[in-house]
Amino acid sequence: MKIKLKIWRQPNARAEGGFVTYPLEGVSTEMSFLEMLDYLNTTLIDRGEAPVAFEHDCREGICGCCSLYINGRPHGPAGETTTCELRMTKFEDGATITIEPWRSKVFPVLRDLIVDRSSFEQILQAGGFVSANTGTAPEANSIPVAKHHADEAFDAAVCVGCGACVAACPNGSAMLFVAAKVSQLALLPQGRPEARRRVREMIAKMDDLGFGACGNIGACEAECPKGIKLTHIARLNREFLKTGI
Amino acid sequence: MNKLDAKIPAGPLADKWSNHKNDVGLVNPANRTKLDIILVGTGLAGAAAAASLGELGYNVKVFCFQDTPRRAHSVAAQGGINAAKNYKNDGDSVYRLFHDVIKGGDYRAREANVHRAAEVSNQTIDQLVAAGVPFARDYSGYLDNRSFGGVQVSRTFYAKGQTGQQCLLGAYSGLIRQVARGKVTMYSRRDMLDLVVVDGRARGIIARNLVTGEIERHSAHAVVLATGGYGTIYYLSTLALGSNASAAWAAHRKGALFANPSFVQIHPTSLPQLNDYQAKLTLMSESLRNDGRIWVPKAKGDRRSANTIPEDERDYYLERRYPAFGNLVPRDVASRAAKERCDAGYGVGDTGLSVYLDFGGAIEKQGKAAIAAKYGNLFEMYEKLTGINPYEEPMRIYPAGHYTMGGLWVDYNLMTTIPGLFAIGEANFSDHGANRLGAGSLMQCAGDGYFILPVTIGDYLADKIREPRMPVDRPEFAAAEKEVRDGLAQLIAVDGSQTVTSFHKRLGRILWDDCGMVRNESGITRALESITALEEEFRRDVKVPGDTAELNQELEKAVKVRDFFALGRLMCHDALARKESCGAHFREESQTPEGEAQRIDSEYSYVAAWEYRGERAPHTLHKEPLKFENVEIKERSYK
Ligand SMILES: Cc1cc2nc3c(=O)[nH]c(=O)nc-3n(C[C@H](O)[C@H](O)[C@H](O)COP(=O)(O)OP(=O)(O)OC[C@H]3O[C@@H](n4cnc5c(N)ncnc54)[C@H](O)[C@@H]3O)c2cc1C
Ligand code: SF4
Ligand code: FES
């Protein structure tokens, strides 16, 4: 197939960016979206132009490296799919595809389509853990965990920390990401002792870093490639109320 | 000098680790704060180590090439993690786990290390659960286990198909807690490009900041590599595209011996290669073989669609050849059998390079719901990637490069042949012999990082508490930095006409064909010649666009491929020197009359550890003899 790509190019964090259009022939429907970009890059290198920088690693939807705002949607048009899992069968022959980096002031562009998501690290460092030093753990079966709690904690824990929720949110809120961690650990007895401090500090850090407030719009849930549910935000809110702030 | 003193503690097998812990030197808490440790790699091994070392009070500097430690490729492990808890009351024990790993490794691993890995496995599960890892549970609220990888007990802990992700995030949460405390400093988006050795000891690294291109010097009292496996050397593999051998290779060039480089596990159930653009082979979990039956048509070149081929025209070749284990034979056996059928012209799909994994019978017997409950997410993934619905049509699968048993040689203390340089996780060679059992790697990585390294590195550091912090303006750092800069500049300067990836694909193809599932002398010799010629071409004609002082992904790839050429040759030398078949290493010259692998214990019961002697000089082979005092050596048989 033959497509037209409109891609955000920006040589580094300080430089001005802008869209550049690349017609691309010889695209196969058997390609994944990122294989299509690999192919574009080969043609760019052959022509002596700079290849498009984009982030990726596992190429199987689990590391959370890949991002990309494709035709106005984080991770493109397919539901519950990361960009690396997206296939070219989702696009028509002759289509124009617009590719941008995550748009958010908390995720500054480093080059082309690569953004800096280290603000997520700072939020997690504020409380996204159980303070269990190596060696202190009791025998694993000494604390039973109701299966439905374990399962629900798992559903939250599959967040890959990609940032699509922030990119999708009109307010630029990181609430779904934060809620996934808060909810996972709140559901497990191992996480209970620190539950109040955790939610307080993570929310404070999120606010400090300049993420927007959650308006319960639900765009995050719609675009999350891992199907993280808004119910986790509801649980976060309940946990937050318990802190009495 | 004997380069290979494994330093295995004396005493009965089951007491070695306890005795050793009682004997090793300790560093008191106040002194730990004066000691710096560099740790490269944040997979399960590195993250667990970083958390534990930070908790102990050391100053830890941690490096990874991704933007955050939690994206290390451990995240992709699907099936599970083993431990000897015996929760199922099915007769499991530390000894049995040890025994299975030794046997699975085809008697090419060190007894003492493997036993220790089995000993600490239970504590690892305790630790991960305490960290909030949501392992699968049954209705009682207790942890569930499944049977995995052809063993007779159920000892595998799992979190659906995302066990690696959950374990890694658990270890990572311990790491970031230490970042918050200021005990761990995180250097993400860094590539380690060289090791700095001062007075014979590992004292630092040279790293490249992948955003700015800056070359940085970092010093410490000890250096730990947890940089994972190098299966990406085949280009197409189940690994993340960034996985590489460059850090380990830098250490190797500085004096760390490299052990068993040719021991690579080829996983039998991956998605097949469909076209030339493909960048990756996605693994389909081994657990699928519990219910799926593997077959090809009985007639050569039969191009009918799978569902139209009648039952009696199907060759369930694993069940035919291995009636006792059938579809559950170990990975290497299943992989070779698939290759054998495809090479003989019975393969299916456009390329003829795949076989069917069929759930039709299982769905008929157990119902679709039961199969969906077990494998739903895998079926979805398969459909997403191929557009084929495996509830209705059999999956197509083919083997793929997956796990490298080979790696840096380490002694019992996980220290390489360079004093002060440690290697943990998949980056070392230590526990899996010639073949790794399913769910054994996560077990080893976590054990190395949480419980073993923190003890053994303390022993090394115990007499170094008076050593001041190493200044990075020493000539050794300057020399290493210059070498790195020259190497990078050289890659750019070639300014040839072929992309890095095109070379990587060709290198991968050579190794896949002649140093992959099946090897023989003439093939390996041919591969050696081809690799050397290809490397020459690379040096003459590779095109690396851009500059060293910027974010440059092509340059990052070029470094990796440059090092893969050298490692690829070493793999071939290793495969050539080992004229026996063992585990995943199948030498055609060494097979039984029935075509099964023939081990030759009288000659090859050793670890092959290779010493680097210069870019153009041949490596020197050192042998660490293996002694088996606690297991009876048997031929593997799955008939
Ligand atoms: C698809 C798949 C499924 C698997 N399933 C299972 C399973 O079910 N059970 C099981 O036990 N095992 C499984 N394995 C194997 C297991 O996942 C790996 O062996 C293990 O996770 C490796 O962990 P590690 O900590 O050694 O390295 P990795 O997790 O690979 O981490 C390597 C780290 O090193 C860093 N790094 C590498 N090179 C450099 C450099 N030059 N400079 C700076 N940093 C560097 C990376 O950034 C990363 O942080 C699977 C493997 C794959 C590929
Ligand atoms: S909640 Fe979903 S969208 Fe947000 S970071 Fe996690 S996986 Fe990505
Ligand atoms: S590249 Fe890993 S999730 Fe997309």
Side-chain angles (χ1 to χ4, degrees):
Chain A
M1 58 201 265
K2 197 170 149 185
I3 54 174
K4 198 190 272 176
L5 297 166
K6 243 180 92 184
I7 301 180
W8 183 263
R9 302 299 313 256
Q10 182 175 334
N12 57 55
R14 294 167 308 281
E16 287 271 314
F19 284 103
V20 179
T21 304
Y22 301 97
L24 189 63
E25 288 182 31
V27 174
S28 154
T29 49
E30 282 188 355
M31 289 177 179
S32 73
F33 193 80
L34 294 186
E35 284 160 6
M36 182 275 291
L37 285 182
D38 291 338
Y39 170 60
L40 169 73
N41 278 344
T42 308
T43 66
L44 291 178
I45 296 168
D46 286 345
R47 294 208 300 263
E49 293 178 42
V52 178
F54 62 91
E55 208 157 11
H56 64 95
D57 197 22
C58 75
R59 299 253 179 146
E60 57 181 68
I62 191 73
C63 74
C65 277
C66 63
S67 50
L68 304 190
Y69 211 65
I70 303 165
N71 286 343
R73 291 188 63 185
H75 295 296
E80 294 199 13
T81 299
T82 57
T83 293
C84 62
E85 296 172 300
L86 185 63
R87 320 270 329 158
M88 288 311 290
T89 43
K90 295 277 173 203
F91 300 90
E92 302 287 324
D93 194 11
T96 298
I97 306 173
T98 306
I99 311 174
E100 297 168 78
W102 282 170
R103 294 285 180 205
S104 163
K105 65 177 191 301
V106 286
F107 293 157
V109 173
L110 296 174
R111 175 164 197 165
D112 297 338
L113 303 171
I114 300 182
V115 299
D116 178 355
R117 290 173 279 192
S118 53
S119 47
F120 267 14
E121 297 309 290
Q122 296 182 51
I123 296 179
L124 290 173
Q125 284 160 23
F129 46 77
V130 176
S131 300
N133 276 5
T134 304
T136 52
E139 207 289 321
N141 258 350
S142 60
I143 307 171
V145 181
K147 182 170 165 35
H148 64 277
H149 283 153
D151 288 350
E152 215 180 330
F154 174 86
D155 290 342
V158 297
C159 162
V160 293
C162 62
C165 44
V166 178
C169 177
N171 301 341
S173 171
M175 201 55 124
L176 193 63
F177 168 75
V178 175
K181 191 48 70 185
V182 166
S183 186
Q184 174 202 344
L185 296 178
L187 280 157
L188 299 169
Q190 289 80 5
R192 283 310 317 169
E194 294 171 285
R196 288 190 185 189
R197 190 175 63 89
R198 177 176 308 115
V199 67
R200 201 171 56 225
E201 312 246 310
M202 289 180 79
I203 296 279
K205 181 53 92 178
M206 178 178 91
D207 292 344
D208 269 6
L209 288 165
F211 286 92
C214 174
N216 269 313
I217 300 163
C220 51
E221 182 187 54
E223 300 296 3
C224 171
K226 295 293 139 185
I228 308 286
K229 296 277 172 284
L230 286 177
T231 47
H232 296 295
I233 296 187
R235 183 170 294 104
L236 175 143
N237 287 332
R238 290 200 295 279
E239 291 293 324
F240 193 71
L241 284 176
K242 287 189 208 160
T243 66
I245 296 183
Chain B
M1 183 187 89
N2 182 5
K3 289 212 172 255
L4 294 178
D5 179 2
K7 302 213 173 72
I8 298 168
L13 183 67
D15 300 338
K16 285 182 195 291
W17 180 231
S18 317
N19 291 345
H20 193 57
K21 282 193 287 184
N22 292 334
D23 291 344
V24 295
L26 297 175
V27 183
N28 81 35
N31 284 329
R32 288 182 212 139
T33 61
K34 297 179 203 152
L35 293 168
D36 305 330
I37 298 173
I38 284 175
L39 200 156
V40 187
T42 59
L44 185 53
S52 310
L53 294 171
E55 287 159 12
L56 287 169
Y58 296 107
N59 308 309
V60 195
K61 288 172 138 188
V62 178
F63 297 78
C64 70
F65 66 75
Q66 294 92 345
D67 67 326
T68 143
R70 65 189 148 84
R71 306 208 201 279
H73 199 51
S74 290
V75 81
Q78 300 175 350
I81 174 168
N82 284 340
K85 288 280 195 188
N86 192 30
Y87 283 163
K88 293 281 182 186
N89 197 26
D90 55 4
D92 200 10
S93 65
V94 167
Y95 179 82
R96 276 194 200 273
L97 174 51
F98 150 79
H99 189 276
D100 284 343
V101 175
I102 290 281
K103 174 179 173 228
D106 220 5
Y107 307 94
R108 293 293 175 264
R110 204 188 274 153
E111 277 194 343
N113 286 54
V114 175
H115 196 275
R116 177 179 61 186
E119 279 174 64
V120 302
S121 67
N122 291 342
Q123 239 186 315
T124 288
I125 299 302
D126 300 342
Q127 185 62 37
L128 290 171
V129 167
V133 172
F135 284 120
R137 292 177 183 267
D138 59 31
Y139 287 101
S140 63
Y142 293 122
L143 291 155
D144 192 20
N145 293 126
R146 63 181 169 204
S147 145
F148 200 71
V151 297
Q152 286 153 311
V153 293
S154 292
R155 61 161 76 99
T156 303
F157 293 78
Y158 65 101
K160 286 212 177 133
Q162 284 108 301
T163 315
Q165 180 197 29
Q166 296 309 315
C167 292
L168 177 63
L169 292 178
Y172 159 88
S173 69
L175 181 163
I176 52 166
R177 181 170 154 246
Q178 296 310 311
V179 174
R181 270 185 74 211
K183 289 313 297 180
V184 169
T185 311
M186 197 56 230
Y187 296 85
S188 295
R189 296 196 196 270
R190 299 296 198 289
D191 249 350
M192 167 179 163
L193 294 179
D194 208 355
L195 176 77
V196 182
V197 178
V198 180
D199 298 333
R201 284 167 42 202
R203 295 307 302 269
I205 64 167
I206 305 293
R208 179 166 178 271
N209 179 321
L210 299 180
V211 178
T212 62
E214 259 166 281
I215 305 295
E216 306 168 341
R217 305 176 183 184
H218 296 273
S219 73
H221 293 86
V223 177
V224 184
L225 297 188
T227 46
Y230 52 87
T232 33
I233 197 166
Y234 291 107
Y235 185 66
L236 288 174
S237 76
T238 64
L239 274 78
L241 271 57
S243 302
N244 71 95
S246 290
W249 194 256
H252 177 57
R253 292 179 53 224
K254 287 284 165 84
L257 300 199
F258 208 109
N260 300 335
S262 73
F263 285 176
V264 184
Q265 180 172 80
I266 311 287
H267 198 290
T269 55
S270 136
L271 292 185
Q273 182 176 4
L274 298 174
N275 56 58
D276 278 347
Y277 314 108
Q278 202 160 321
K280 155 97 196 194
L281 296 173
T282 303
L283 181 77
M284 299 305 295
S285 170
E286 168 154 63
S287 59
L288 292 169
R289 286 198 281 145
N290 285 323
D291 286 296
R293 296 177 71 194
I294 294 177
W295 62 275
V296 291
K298 278 187 180 159
K300 233 183 213 179
D302 189 339
R303 286 280 170 266
R304 287 177 290 172
S305 73
N307 287 337
T308 61
I309 301 180
E311 195 58 33
D312 62 348
E313 293 177 38
R314 300 175 175 193
D315 177 15
Y316 295 91
Y317 57 88
L318 287 176
E319 299 169 25
R320 169 170 60 78
R321 283 178 67 177
Y322 308 98
F325 279 71
N327 294 296
L328 294 175
V329 291
R331 293 176 178 180
D332 58 314
V333 178
S335 291
R336 276 196 301 277
K339 176 177 162 55
E340 187 277 328
R341 282 294 81 190
C342 293
D343 287 353
Y346 297 89
V348 298
D350 292 341
T351 56
L353 284 177
S354 59
V355 300
Y356 291 125
L357 176 62
D358 196 340
F359 292 86
I363 291 171
E364 216 165 274
K365 258 195 231 118
Q366 305 172 35
K368 188 171 164 188
I371 294 299
K374 284 194 231 178
Y375 312 111
N377 60 338
L378 293 167
F379 277 38
E380 269 167 44
M381 177 160 114
Y382 183 84
E383 185 165 5
K384 217 183 247 179
L385 292 174
T386 63
I388 295 168
N389 177 352
Y391 292 103
E392 275 152 27
E393 259 180 77
M395 290 184 178
R396 285 203 290 121
I397 52 159
Y398 198 64
H402 180 58
Y403 180 88
T404 42
M405 282 74 71
L408 292 172
W409 185 90
V410 290
D411 64 15
Y412 188 74
N413 294 314
L414 304 180
M415 190 153 87
T416 68
T417 47
I418 300 175
L421 178 70
F422 295 77
I424 60 176
E426 190 173 341
N428 74 25
F429 87 106
S430 101
D431 290 359
H432 307 289
N435 203 11
R436 174 175 73 79
L437 285 186
S441 177
L442 295 180
M443 167 185 97
Q444 179 222 336
C445 289
D448 282 1
Y450 277 130
F451 301 110
I452 301 170
L453 179 79
V455 174
T456 60
I457 204 170
D459 186 34
Y460 172 77
L461 292 170
D463 62 1
K464 311 211 164 37
I465 50 177
R466 277 179 202 84
E467 284 184 6
R469 186 162 279 177
M470 160 89 21
V472 294
D473 56 7
R474 293 196 44 135
E476 292 86 350
F477 280 87
E481 178 179 327
K482 178 167 187 312
E483 216 180 304
V484 163
R485 284 186 186 280
D486 291 350
L488 295 173
Q490 251 170 37
L491 287 167
I492 302 248
V494 181
D495 197 22
S497 68
Q498 301 177 64
T499 62
V500 176
T501 302
S502 70
F503 282 102
H504 193 176
K505 282 185 184 171
R506 285 161 71 192
L507 172 66
R509 193 60 212 230
I510 296 170
L511 287 167
W512 180 248
D513 286 345
D514 285 324
C515 200
M517 276 180 277
V518 175
R519 299 141 181 210
N520 60 50
E521 186 167 332
S522 72
I524 305 168
T525 312
R526 180 172 59 221
L528 270 168
E529 285 165 13
S530 315
I531 294 172
T532 304
L534 190 64
E535 188 180 15
E536 289 299 314
E537 195 179 327
F538 177 84
R539 287 175 188 222
R540 222 178 37 238
D541 198 34
V542 72
K543 169 109 185 146
V544 183
D547 195 346
T548 53
E550 60 176 347
L551 194 163
N552 186 338
Q553 295 177 309
E554 287 296 310
L555 180 62
E556 294 166 30
K557 282 196 256 176
V559 168
K560 292 170 184 173
V561 173
R562 176 195 69 191
D563 296 337
F564 278 153
F565 281 117
L567 174 59
R569 271 204 304 274
L570 186 60
M571 275 171 69
C572 290
H573 284 298
D574 185 51
L576 203 54
R578 193 175 282 278
K579 297 189 171 62
E580 65 161 350
S581 297
C582 61
H585 171 67
F586 188 82
R587 278 290 299 261
E588 271 178 339
E589 298 92 332
S590 185
Q591 47 182 312
T592 63
E594 300 88 51
E596 302 301 332
Q598 179 73 61
R599 231 175 44 226
I600 309 177
D601 293 325
S602 56
E603 289 177 55
Y604 295 100
S605 186
Y606 60 76
V607 175
W610 297 89
E611 182 186 358
Y612 184 82
R613 305 288 304 276
E615 202 172 324
R616 289 281 159 236
H619 276 72
T620 304
L621 173 60
H622 299 264
K623 297 176 184 175
E624 180 199 336
L626 291 167
K627 284 199 231 41
F628 295 94
E629 292 164 345
N630 299 279
V631 294
E632 192 195 336
I633 301 191
K634 287 197 184 133
E635 289 302 322
R636 286 197 315 163
S637 170
Y638 299 94
K639 295 251 168 205

